[in-house]
């Protein structure tokens, strides 16, 4: 399986070890998004991080990670549901010049106004659970460092993250110290296991993270440790945009406004604000949006419901 999250536990339950490896879903997500390479890299790293964290959600809903600031990149945002369906996008400031060598801070946080935002958004099936939002300053020189700082200071969880992204794949490794019984001998053993896990993971080389399959990487790093392997979870790209939803939006826009757009061009072109997928409506499609019978709106070869 190309797109999968894997979980392992140290035998003493001291440390959670997770890996993420995504190819197909990431390429699908980039298909309609034209972004500079350095921005795609940051967005990919944020996506890998979101998957690693969302896999530990204890409710039906989604995790949203946002990085925003006052640089040429106005916003990076990723949503990952509890069942690991992802979508991600970036917003650039109009006319901004972006250097491929620019750092995260230069791209997003030029004047110190950058923010790292974590949102826990329960589904509508959880009416008694309210959304949670945590906001901290954007620190560090990478997505991994910013997230580590957030987890330590906002969630009080010792966490280390290694991330890599390019146009072909996303990969990530997460180590997280699990809560124990403070002050007991068992807690002292947990601390020793955590320190050992950090020491072993610190030997990882960038090319290993980039090129090795996660199972190979885990074996190379922790071959002397007894790890409990849990069942893997598949990852999918999912943006809920659709031709039907765009048609509904145009219908609400109104016949006069749609006809004004058609006078300027041969078709109405609309791209999803999130994934960039394009939708086109020619004059026949647009006319059919305003047929009196709303239950039988024809758009070319499609029927909208």
């Amino acid at each position: 399986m190309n797109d999968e999250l894997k979980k392992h536990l140290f035998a003493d339950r001291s440390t959670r070890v997770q890996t993420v490896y995504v190819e197909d879903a990431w390429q699908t997500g980039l298909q309609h998004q034209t972004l500079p390479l350095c921005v795609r890299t940051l967005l990919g790293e944020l996506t890998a991080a979101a998957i690693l964290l969302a896999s530990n959600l204890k409710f039906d809903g989604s995790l949203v990670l946002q990085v925003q600031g006052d640089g040429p990149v106005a916003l990076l945002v990723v949503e990952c549901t509890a069942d690991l369906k992802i979508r991600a996008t970036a917003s650039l400031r109009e006319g901004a010049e972006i250097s491929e060598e620019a750092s995260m801070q230069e791209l997003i946080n030029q004047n110190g106004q950058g923010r790292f935002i974590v949102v826990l958004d329960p589904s509508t099936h959880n009416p008694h659970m309210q959304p949670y939002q945590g906001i901290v300053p954007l620190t560090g020189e990478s997505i991994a460092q910013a997230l580590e700082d957030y987890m330590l200071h906002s969630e009080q969880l010792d966490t280390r993250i290694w991330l890599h992204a390019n146009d072909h794949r996303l990969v990530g490794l997460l180590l997280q110290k699990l809560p124990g019984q403070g002050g007991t001998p068992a807690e002292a053993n947990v601390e020793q296991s955590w320190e050992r896990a950090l020491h072993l993971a610190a030997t990882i080389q960038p090319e290993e993270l980039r090129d090795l399959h996660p199972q190979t990487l885990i074996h190379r790093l922790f071959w002397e440790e007894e790890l409990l392997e849990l069942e893997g979870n598949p990852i999918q790209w999912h943006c809920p945009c659709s031709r039907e939803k765009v048609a509904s939006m145009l219908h609400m826009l109104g016949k006069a406004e749609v006809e004004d757009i058609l006078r300027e061009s041969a078709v109405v072109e609309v791209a999803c604000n999130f994934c960039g997928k394009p939708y086109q409506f020619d004059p026949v499609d647009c006319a059919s949006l305003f047929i009196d019978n709303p239950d039988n709106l024809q758009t070319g070869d499609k029927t909208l419901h």
Side-chain angles (χ1 to χ4, degrees), residues 2-43:
N2 283 336
D3 299 351
E4 187 178 39
L5 179 130
K6 290 287 291 184
K7 293 184 179 182
H8 297 78
L9 289 175
F10 270 53
D12 61 3
R13 271 55 171 191
S14 65
T15 302
R16 173 187 289 134
V17 183
Q18 295 180 185
T19 58
V20 61
Y21 187 92
V22 185
E23 288 187 347
D24 294 343
W26 180 234
Q27 293 172 37
T28 298
L30 289 182
Q31 184 177 359
H32 302 294
Q33 302 196 56
T34 303
L35 299 168
L37 176 60
C38 58
V39 179
R40 296 199 301 272
T41 298
L42 282 177
L43 185 63

Side-chain angles (χ1 to χ4, degrees), residues 127-143:
H128 302 296
M129 185 173 183
Q130 298 300 313
Y132 164 83
Q133 178 173 279
I135 304 175
V136 296
L138 182 61
T139 58
E141 294 301 321
S142 67
I143 295 294

